[in-house]
Amino acid sequence: MSETAGYMRFFPYDQPYENQREAMDRIHNALTRGQNVLFEGACGTGKTLSSLVPALEVAREQDKTVVITTNVHQQMRQFVAEARAITREERIRAVVFKGKSSMCHIDVGYEECQALRDNTRAVVDTERDKRQLERRQRELLAESQDGDGGAADARSAVMDELESLEERLDDLEEQNVCEHYRNNLTEDTDDFFGWLFEDVRTPDEIYEYADSQQLCGYELLKEGLEGVDLVVCNYHHLLDSTIRQQFFRWLGRDPEDVIVVFDEAHNVEDAAREHATRTCSERTFDSALDELAEADDSRAENAGNVLSAFHRALVETYEASFGFGDREAIGENWTDISIANDDRRDDLTLEFLQRYSGRGIDDDLEAAMELGQELDEQYEEAYREGETATRTECQTLQAAAFVSAWLDEGTAEGLYPVVAVTRDAGTDEVYGRAELYSCLPRQVTGRLFEEVSSTVLMSATLQPFDVTESVLGLEEPVTMAYGLQFPADRRRTYAVETPPLFASDRDDPDVQETVTETIHDAVRMTPGNTLAFFPNYGEAGRYADRLERRSEKTVYLDEPGESVERLRQRFVADDGAVLCTSLWGTLAEGVSFDGDDATTVLVVGVPYPHLDDRAEAVQEAYDAAFEGTETGWRYAVEIPTIRKTRQALGRVIRSPEDVGVRALLDRRYSRTAKSDLGRYSVNSTFPHEEREELIDINPEKLKFAMLNFYGDHDAYNGESPRP
């Protein structure tokens, strides 16, 4: 690549890093050819600009739009900063787009908003027609006063039409309207769009500016999307197929004219699975049956037959699963109940078929769908006419659509039927839901990758690429990986051979003592703050308690329900503290600990996720889809777990000046464990270059190694701790 490469006009700084230079060149070539890219880059490799700069150039060359998407709030702020820097060098029209719920000034749901928009537009259009007719009748009046007999007749017809319009307007003005949206339609919005494209505006800035002008910023944003160079948005705008179609319409683009950049792309798998999963609560069935009981329609009885049978089957299925004390143990979080069978349909379906007694399930479901659609239209009309203060959702339509999907798709590849229960905190009532859990994310992402021009999936933890390619349904992507570009002598990464923290060994007093002493040694030898990640919040709490009893340093514990940002601020303001948290919490990725915020990071144990029936279903689906007996475990459990570990390790060493230690406390991480731990060893799951940095070390020697390392870098400021 030469300095005069066309895409360098979008690079906002003096010089790119060497690997960044190479990455931009390769990504530009791939996007020009319409290929997908898997791009792994450690902190300091400049992933955002490496992807965004060539994407903007290809979009400019080929008349396309770039969409960069993330599910991490902090990353969205970084994209705004990078886009602002770019537009200082080369003018681009960029929009940061968020969902309606976070942009609405009057806090209404989607259906209500749609009805309000239609009503408001009808009022504005009628007022415009009235003004035009009034102007025309004045012209005809003047002509008739000049002796034009035909003008008098025409004016009479116009007056009749005006009277009709005024009656319609009186009716419309009694309906629900949105004053913010009305101002969008009636006021001059040129100033808003001038302000919007002067710079790259955040959603909060747009909300405040629009509110100050009594405008609807969300609707104006939708209008402003067409023809922009860059849009920053959340995952769901692309992973939800219905939203995606609307989103592309707002862009004024066909899918093949969109280049997509996925940030933190290791999260796409879970996000796609979530968007493909369907659920329906017992509460929805209750409301649907109440709705049908009030409906004066012959189809209500048939619809009630099928929905009440499914409702009763749902209740009976979870009630039958309860043993002694199980109902009392149900909490406010959803708890799964296994209903799948290897040789026949699931327990809920079998119970439903046994309980149903009607003229035919398909006919009754068709009646429920037809009646539900009509009821939904009636609710829409009632809201438009101002007869109701809120737009009622049709529960019959939702319940019938779910039961239809359950019966038609319940045995489809990659879908796993589940029943779950929870307890209502207000009423103390236990109730359930049915769920079709999607095991294969490629059923969502594969279609997206086929539709759009090309994609870049970037993350610090995408390897192994063949697994990402298979799981997400990518066809022969271009792959590239760049490790830490910072000086290697300013960091150490240890595989500490503490006892393997298998679940069965975690309560062993000797194991706990060894692990506690090793953590204590690491914290004592750290000149600054230490981050400690554990397999779950329970283990984090256990070792936080043990550390508090023997450590002189402040121990912070990340607990569910506590504000993560407030905890982070308290921790980084300290000097020489330790923060204990779960590797599956929000502090393990997307949160930076720069400079002196944290110096050492510890990952204690191999943090496998809870292996419930859903996890087993995903493994089985992967085994079947990719034809391998160990594929499911590797793809669905081991690799995502090590990605989480690698993400946690990346919380420190955030710049070339940083000095730090990263330690994995569990013998399963060590190179020497492969010979006797077999499949339980995870050393080989790390990328080659990261395995090469891992130094196996005995627990009792860790404190000396850290003392020497930090001492060599004068990190103790002349006050070295005693080993």
Side-chain angles (χ1 to χ4, degrees):
M1 183 198 79
S2 70
E3 286 298 332
T4 57
Y7 52 77
M8 287 302 294
R9 59 179 163 163
F10 293 105
F11 192 80
Y13 307 117
D14 291 340
Q15 291 291 330
Y17 307 132
E18 193 58 38
N19 284 338
Q20 194 176 37
R21 188 186 301 270
E22 176 186 317
M24 286 191 290
D25 202 37
R26 294 186 63 191
I27 292 172
H28 179 266
N29 292 337
L31 297 183
T32 299
R33 296 190 295 265
Q35 294 176 289
N36 298 309
V37 178
L38 292 176
F39 174 25
E40 178 173 299
C43 178
T45 53
K47 292 188 295 294
T48 300
L49 286 177
S50 295
S51 301
L52 189 53
V53 164
L56 286 170
E57 176 65 16
V58 173
R60 185 71 61 86
E61 292 169 350
Q62 300 182 4
D63 188 26
K64 300 183 187 301
T65 293
V66 177
V67 175
I68 188 165
T69 180
T70 182
N71 66 341
V72 179
H73 183 67
Q74 182 167 314
Q75 290 300 103
M76 190 167 282
R77 292 199 298 268
Q78 180 185 340
F79 297 154
V80 171
E82 300 287 23
R84 283 174 172 167
I86 289 172
T87 200
R88 303 289 186 271
E89 300 296 319
E90 178 76 14
R91 293 296 301 174
I92 61 172
R93 288 162 59 89
V95 168
V96 183
F97 194 80
K98 290 186 75 173
K100 191 199 76 63
S101 61
S102 60
M103 297 287 290
C104 183
H105 300 275
I106 58 175
D107 193 25
V108 296
Y110 175 78
E111 297 291 345
E112 290 174 308
C113 180
Q114 187 174 38
L116 284 173
R117 288 200 312 271
D118 293 344
N119 280 351
T120 305
R121 183 172 289 278
V123 170
V124 171
D125 289 347
T126 304
E127 288 175 338
R128 183 198 61 222
D129 292 344
K130 178 185 175 185
R131 288 193 299 272
Q132 290 174 347
L133 285 174
E134 287 174 337
R135 184 168 59 250
R136 180 58 180 154
Q137 74 87 14
R138 288 194 297 270
E139 292 171 351
L140 291 170
L141 176 61
E143 292 173 12
S144 65
Q145 290 173 341
D146 290 339
D148 187 341
D153 293 339
R155 179 175 178 270
S156 177
V158 167
M159 293 299 292
D160 289 342
E161 191 173 351
L162 254 177
E163 183 178 352
S164 176
L165 265 184
E166 287 172 346
E167 290 176 358
R168 171 167 165 70
L169 192 58
D170 288 340
D171 291 339
L172 286 172
E173 287 177 342
E174 293 178 1
Q175 298 176 9
N176 292 310
V177 296
C178 174
E179 292 301 328
H180 286 79
Y181 184 56
R182 182 174 186 147
N183 292 335
N184 284 13
L185 300 175
T186 58
E187 303 294 330
D188 185 350
T189 57
D190 287 349
D191 287 347
F192 172 85
F193 288 112
W195 169 84
L196 179 67
F197 293 118
E198 277 179 353
D199 204 342
V200 182
R201 308 297 186 181
T202 68
D204 289 343
E205 290 171 337
I206 294 167
Y207 180 93
E208 291 172 5
Y209 184 93
D211 194 47
S212 70
Q213 305 298 313
Q214 290 294 292
L215 299 169
C216 176
Y218 177 71
E219 290 297 323
L220 289 175
L221 264 188
K222 284 163 54 177
E223 291 179 32
L225 282 179
E226 188 165 353
V228 298
D229 301 294
L230 172 67
V231 181
V232 181
C233 66
N234 294 316
Y235 275 1
H236 69 267
H237 289 104
L238 295 175
L239 294 180
D240 186 298
S241 59
T242 301
I243 296 175
R244 181 165 74 242
Q245 291 174 2
Q246 294 176 333
F247 186 58
F248 287 166
R249 283 199 299 271
W250 298 335
L251 286 175
R253 294 292 193 182
D254 293 326
E256 59 266 27
D257 294 323
V258 177
I259 298 170
V260 179
V261 179
F262 276 98
D263 175 57
E264 302 293 351
H266 61 280
N267 289 320
V268 171
E269 176 181 351
D270 286 340
R273 186 176 289 121
E274 179 183 336
H275 279 87
T277 295
R278 296 176 178 167
T279 62
C280 194
S281 165
E282 181 183 337
R283 298 284 178 82
T284 300
F285 285 101
D286 288 334
S287 299
L289 293 172
D290 290 342
E291 192 173 55
L292 291 171
E294 296 177 4
D296 184 15
D297 192 288
S298 60
R299 293 166 294 184
E301 181 179 354
N302 296 328
N305 284 339
V306 67
L307 297 186
S308 63
F310 198 92
H311 175 263
R312 292 196 305 272
L314 173 61
V315 174
E316 179 58 30
T317 299
Y318 70 70
E319 289 286 357
S321 73
F322 291 152
F324 179 76
D326 286 346
R327 169 181 279 277
E328 291 71 27
I330 298 298
E332 295 176 23
N333 294 322
W334 286 100
T335 302
D336 284 355
I337 292 169
S338 177
I339 62 169
N341 297 300
D342 293 334
D343 56 347
R344 61 190 187 279
R345 286 297 297 262
D346 60 273
D347 294 342
L348 174 55
T349 302
L350 295 176
E351 183 70 27
F352 166 64
L353 295 175
Q354 183 175 344
R355 288 183 171 274
Y356 173 77
S357 59
R359 64 179 186 176
I361 292 174
D362 290 341
D363 289 341
D364 283 354
L365 274 176
E366 183 178 355
M369 290 290 290
E370 289 176 353
L371 178 55
Q373 288 168 351
E374 289 185 18
L375 290 172
D376 198 56
E377 291 170 3
Q378 292 174 18
Y379 297 151
E380 175 94 3
E381 184 65 21
Y383 184 67
R384 289 179 190 275
E385 298 294 333
E387 297 171 10
T388 58
T390 59
R391 204 284 193 185
T392 304
E393 301 289 335
C394 181
Q395 305 300 299
T396 298
L397 186 59
Q398 292 186 27
F402 179 81
V403 174
S404 180
W406 182 276
L407 296 176
D408 293 343
E409 303 172 21
T411 58
E413 179 191 21
L415 289 179
Y416 179 69
V418 184
V419 166
V421 292
T422 189
R423 186 180 300 278
D424 187 303
T427 65
D428 202 40
E429 173 191 359
V430 171
Y431 65 99
R433 73 180 181 193
E435 180 175 346
L436 280 175
Y437 180 66
S438 180
C439 299
L440 297 175
R442 69 180 184 181
Q443 294 174 339
V444 173
T445 54
R447 288 193 291 270
L448 169 63
F449 299 144
E450 288 175 1
E451 290 177 6
V452 299
S453 171
S454 51
T455 59
V456 180
L457 290 92
M458 61 181 188
S459 168
T461 55
L462 276 183
Q463 296 189 74
F465 290 133
D466 62 324
V467 174
T468 303
E469 179 180 342
S470 298
V471 167
L472 298 183
L474 287 157
E475 296 291 335
E476 299 182 353
V478 174
T479 62
M480 59 188 76
Y482 301 97
L484 272 173
Q485 304 303 299
F486 308 143
D489 63 347
R490 299 181 71 84
R491 65 180 182 270
R492 288 291 184 272
T493 310
Y494 297 109
V496 187
E497 297 187 291
T498 52
L501 276 179
F502 295 113
S504 58
D505 296 330
R506 290 176 186 169
D507 291 331
D508 185 315
D510 292 337
V511 170
Q512 291 181 15
E513 181 59 28
T514 300
V515 172
T516 303
E517 190 59 33
T518 307
I519 298 172
H520 181 231
D521 286 345
V523 172
R524 283 196 306 118
M525 295 300 134
T526 297
N529 289 339
T530 302
L531 283 168
F533 292 96
F534 296 86
N536 53 57
Y537 285 108
E539 290 296 290
R542 182 205 298 270
Y543 285 98
D545 288 343
R546 295 178 67 93
L547 282 173
E548 281 186 330
R549 290 196 294 267
R550 71 178 67 191
S551 177
E552 296 179 358
K553 296 191 176 183
T554 304
V555 179
Y556 293 92
L557 176 61
D558 176 18
E559 299 180 275
E562 182 176 357
S563 167
V564 170
E565 180 55 26
R566 283 200 295 269
L567 177 64
R568 190 195 71 83
Q569 291 175 358
R570 288 167 52 212
F571 171 66
V572 301
D574 213 324
D575 183 21
V578 57
L579 171 57
C580 298
T581 185
S582 168
L583 194 103
W584 297 95
T586 55
L587 287 170
E589 61 177 276
V591 179
S592 295
F593 292 87
D594 302 322
D596 295 332
D597 289 353
T599 310
T600 295
V601 60
L602 311 174
V603 175
V604 183
V606 179
Y608 288 120
H610 177 56
L611 299 180
D612 55 15
D613 289 338
R614 290 180 193 239
E616 293 289 340
V618 173
Q619 291 181 63
E620 291 176 8
Y622 282 175
D623 281 338
F626 306 123
E627 300 179 351
T629 55
E630 288 293 322
T631 302
W633 171 262
R634 181 168 179 261
Y635 282 22
V637 180
E638 185 166 290
I639 288 171
T641 295
I642 297 307
R643 282 179 178 153
K644 281 286 186 182
T645 300
R646 295 174 62 208
Q647 284 285 331
L649 291 181
R651 295 313 93 203
V652 300
I653 315 296
R654 308 290 295 181
S655 78
E657 293 75 33
D658 287 351
V659 173
V661 166
R662 307 178 301 174
L664 301 166
L665 274 60
D666 192 300
R667 189 163 174 268
R668 287 172 287 180
Y669 290 113
S670 70
R671 186 179 292 106
T672 57
K674 288 189 289 185
S675 59
D676 59 316
L677 288 179
R679 72 185 292 257
Y680 297 110
S681 169
V682 296
N683 180 273
S684 60
T685 310
F686 286 83
H688 172 75
E689 65 276 6
E690 293 183 21
R691 287 201 306 273
E692 291 299 301
E693 281 202 23
L694 280 175
I695 302 170
D696 292 357
I697 192 169
N698 292 328
E700 61 272 13
K701 294 184 178 179
L702 177 64
K703 58 186 175 183
F704 298 106
M706 291 181 64
L707 179 66
N708 291 334
F709 170 74
Y710 282 125
D712 289 344
H713 289 280
D714 297 324
Y716 294 119
N717 296 319
E719 298 182 7
S720 299
R722 298 172 66 88

